[in-house]
Amino acid sequence: GQQVMQIPQYQHVQEGEDFTTYCNSSTTLSNIQWYKQRPGGHPVFLIQLVKSGEVKKQKRLTFQFGEAKKNSSLHITATQTTDVGTYFCAGTLKTSYDKVIFGPGTSLSVIP
Amino acid sequence: NAGVTQTPKFRVLKTGQSMTLLCAQDMNHEYMYWYRQDPGMGLRLIHYSVGEGTTAKGEVPDGYNVSRLKKQNFLLGLESAAPSQTSVYFCASWRENTEAFFGQGTRLTVV
């Protein structure tokens, strides 16, 4: 079946270091979304990428959607303790309706 | 505009008891999904609905039932709770091509 994978599962970084999480789908996606979940909280939407090769930035966060629309990445520059949480990618498959598949998430810990 | 509201927020059940989790959204969204989240397991889809009166199974549907009688409400039922259903349950809703809005979660413990 369709799958969305993320690596790494966990990442521990020193504050100020960069961080990247990768998302890969076995199927071509119509779009990819990224969410952040703080410890004890619920997932919150960060961004949506739709076009092949699209790159979007939000302050220190850079999101990319691959040319084949099967992979995506989230890069955080100079991490801060406020970046702690789990980052999920979610891929949308276009069928007769939107089928959204979440990746397993990457848990980021930032050591001050 | 409350977004997505889940009730209850916390619940402790005894094995074999039944309960219903309610998800309500006031954004007129077509899609509503129920997930469970366990440590290190990410979000696993239990059941989902793509419109009023429709429901479908996700990847972990066993032991759960759902109903979407009204567009704004999506109910998740546990007929006979088991300790393996101890988890945090999240409901999400969205409209096509837009982001998902999640509820605050329901922390369920089955003893």
Side-chain angles (χ1 to χ4, degrees), chain A residues 5-105:
Chain A
M5 304 304 296
Q6 274 184 261
I7 54 170
Q9 186 177 4
Y10 301 98
Q11 185 78 57
H12 306 277
V13 300
Q14 203 76 34
E15 188 173 18
E17 291 182 339
D18 291 356
F19 160 77
T20 304
T21 174
Y22 300 91
C23 179
N24 292 287
S25 168
S26 58
T27 311
T28 301
L29 303 169
S30 63
N31 66 54
I32 193 106
Q33 298 177 344
W34 285 91
Y35 294 79
K36 177 183 178 181
Q37 183 180 25
R38 295 182 187 273
H42 61 281
V44 174
F45 175 78
L46 293 176
I47 207 160
Q48 175 171 286
L49 304 170
V50 179
K51 298 177 183 177
S52 170
E54 189 170 12
V55 178
K56 287 189 176 180
K57 292 189 176 184
Q58 288 180 349
K59 297 182 180 179
R60 295 178 295 103
L61 278 62
T62 302
F63 304 84
Q64 292 187 331
F65 199 11
E67 294 290 340
K69 301 184 75 173
K70 286 187 174 183
N71 55 73
S72 181
S73 65
L74 158 59
H75 179 82
I76 303 178
T77 303
T79 54
Q80 300 175 358
T81 55
T82 53
D83 295 325
V84 166
T86 300
Y87 293 85
F88 293 97
C89 64
T92 300
L93 302 174
K94 270 295 185 185
T95 59
S96 57
Y97 58 89
D98 279 3
K99 183 174 183 179
V100 177
I101 302 175
F102 274 81

